[in-house]
Amino acid sequence: MNEKRETEASPPVSYRPDLPDWGSYLRWPEGNDQWIHEEDLALANQLLPSRRILKRFKWDGEFYWLNYGACILRVRPTMWTRVPDLDLEVGQKIELLHRHGQNDPGIFRIHEIFYSERRKAPEFFLRRGEMILEKAFLRVDIRPLHVQHKLRSGFYQHKPQQLDPSSSVDKLDVGDLGSFDH
């Protein structure tokens, strides 16, 4: 009995998540720092591990590109804690809502975004100028000042209208136009 064997190794199956997505490195993923791009190592040591929520926005074939405000890190695929998608970023201007007297409303910038294990939700720390508020706020407490709407192009498929000659159309009888005397 002849068995047909594959001579080529099949390519490894790899899963890449839909980007962007958000998460936190609550622990250092491995014992060394080989998972971090060498040029980003100093920044990674400042930001990680922590409860900071980073946005993973690009895959270049070897590294994921993450941002936290203006900071950009490149990391190889590693375990991290995935969190629900966010619509706000570090540095973004927001309005702190009154919420029936719970908050002192005003215009602020997002200073930090942390993941709360207890609340299972992001917490936002705000600043105005050099003043950083000590209290953490939830998403329901804040509203972005500028909303960027994104249209889903190609979402709706519309067929162009066409004339159907078989349909019955009421015709207007205007008589004989050639018999007009002036």
Side-chain angles (χ1 to χ4, degrees), residues 94 96 104-111 126-133:
I94 56 92
L96 179 60
D104 187 16
I107 305 299
F108 296 87
R109 286 198 182 270
I110 297 174
H111 181 66
L126 308 178
R127 71 176 164 84
R128 182 184 296 152
E130 298 300 315
M131 179 186 70
I132 300 170
L133 302 181

Side-chain angles (χ1 to χ4, degrees), residues 44-178:
N45 284 321
Q46 292 174 4
L47 296 177
L48 307 176
S50 72
R51 296 182 307 120
R52 287 180 179 91
I53 296 177
L54 300 126
K55 177 181 174 182
R56 188 163 54 176
F57 66 95
K58 179 179 170 183
W59 168 251
D60 67 12
E62 183 178 1
F63 292 97
Y64 281 113
W65 291 54
L66 312 170
N67 82 301
Y68 186 73
C71 301
I72 295 191
L73 289 171
R74 291 164 289 178
V75 299
R76 288 187 173 91
T78 49
M79 293 290 290
W80 73 338
T81 303
R82 177 96 162 72
V83 301
D85 294 353
L86 291 178
D87 62 339
L88 301 172
E89 296 185 9
V90 171
Q92 185 174 349
K93 262 189 170 177
I94 56 92
E95 175 186 6
L96 179 60
L97 303 173
H98 190 260
R99 302 254 315 170
H100 306 289
Q102 293 177 352
N103 301 324
D104 187 16
I107 305 299
F108 296 87
R109 286 198 182 270
I110 297 174
H111 181 66
E112 299 266 15
I113 305 174
F114 289 107
Y115 181 69
S116 169
E117 286 277 350
R118 182 176 60 84
R119 293 179 171 173
K120 302 288 186 227
E123 294 179 325
F124 299 87
F125 289 87
L126 308 178
R127 71 176 164 84
R128 182 184 296 152
E130 298 300 315
M131 179 186 70
I132 300 170
L133 302 181
E134 291 182 24
K135 179 182 174 185
F137 297 94
L138 297 175
R139 179 62 179 90
V140 296
D141 294 317
I142 58 181
R143 175 173 47 206
L145 284 185
H146 305 285
V147 178
Q148 293 181 338
H149 298 283
K150 294 179 182 166
L151 298 177
R152 296 179 286 183
S153 63
F155 184 75
Y156 296 104
Q157 300 291 328
H158 296 287
K159 292 182 181 178
Q161 291 184 348
Q162 296 180 357
L163 177 63
D164 183 9
S166 65
S167 66
S168 63
V169 178
D170 292 336
K171 297 178 182 175
L172 179 63
D173 184 10
V174 293
D176 184 14
L177 295 176

